Amino acid sequence: DRAVLACRVVEPDQWCRRCGCEGVPRDTVVRRLAHEPLGWRPTTLLVTVRRYRCADCGHVWRQDTTKAAAPRAKLSRAGLRWALEGIVCQHLTVARVAEGLDVAWGTANDAVLAEGKRVLINDPGRFDGVAVIGVDEHVWRHTRRGDKYVTVIIDLTAVRAGTGPARLLDMVEGRSKQVFQDLADRPAAGLARRSRGRGDGRVHRVQDRHR
């Protein structure tokens, strides 16, 4: 059982992106997007998109649909937000999210990783107020190829102050020494610089290394 919503772009987009001349409607195409489920029913958006052709230079383009989804994306923005919130806040598995969206596991996983990096990892203010961190090295790959270590970085400031739980800051492939060196080179790496200096920043290893 699934839901299908037929939509169309209401804003005209008739001006050529190359020469600026006005184009004429050529035809329409339908873009399929996995959307936020209605209940737990997979929902698909069928977005009718008009194509234009420039009367001067002959360039062909489609109406702008970036409000609904990123270019070439298979998930709508609402569907992507639902997937990210399901994994981060409700602790759903990628398989459960993919089932709810009716997409392949790889499609859901790639979309969530990219959006999570954009919203969470690339946030320049995510280290604000962090004074104590925990570090753990974990062996997650048991093969000869590829980096088998991942370094988990946790904000323990609230735990030390007794005001709240720990908060995951990042999970980075590699050993902790190299990870902190790379972290120090990031634009928003005040945390790493404090932890290596003589300020009040503290680094704690949350548990022994897993070999």
Side-chain angles (χ1 to χ4, degrees), residues 31-183:
R31 184 179 182 185
R32 299 177 62 93
L33 295 170
H35 192 54
E36 178 181 2
L38 296 176
W40 275 104
R41 288 193 302 171
T43 302
T44 301
L45 296 184
L46 298 182
V47 185
T48 300
V49 183
R50 177 171 290 177
R51 293 202 303 176
Y52 294 89
R53 184 179 187 277
C54 180
D56 186 61
C57 69
H59 177 60
V60 177
W61 69 95
R62 297 182 180 186
Q63 283 177 294
D64 185 9
T65 57
T66 54
K67 290 184 178 180
R72 302 183 182 277
K74 296 181 180 180
L75 275 62
S76 70
R77 296 194 184 278
L80 184 56
R81 183 177 63 250
W82 175 86
L84 185 61
E85 290 178 352
I87 290 177
V88 175
C89 302
Q90 302 176 23
H91 309 293
L92 299 180
T93 64
V94 175
R96 187 67 183 91
V97 167
E99 180 184 358
L101 295 171
D102 194 25
V103 297
W105 187 94
T107 300
N109 186 65
D110 292 345
V112 169
L113 285 177
E115 183 67 4
K117 182 177 181 180
R118 184 188 72 83
V119 175
L120 304 175
I121 303 301
N122 292 342
D123 179 9
R126 69 192 180 101
F127 290 140
D128 293 349
V130 177
V132 183
I133 63 174
V135 180
D136 179 33
E137 283 181 358
H138 182 72
V139 177
W140 69 281
R141 188 199 302 271
H142 298 276
T143 61
R144 294 183 178 180
R145 294 185 178 181
D147 198 331
K148 63 180 182 178
Y149 286 95
V150 62
T151 296
V152 182
I153 305 174
I154 304 171
D155 177 15
L156 298 176
T157 306
V159 175
R160 184 177 181 85
T163 58
R167 180 171 65 100
L168 178 65
L169 289 175
D170 210 343
M171 296 180 66
V172 186
E173 287 190 39
R175 306 295 293 268
S176 57
K177 181 178 180 180
Q178 183 60 45
V179 167
F180 273 96
Q181 179 62 47
D182 295 341
L183 192 65

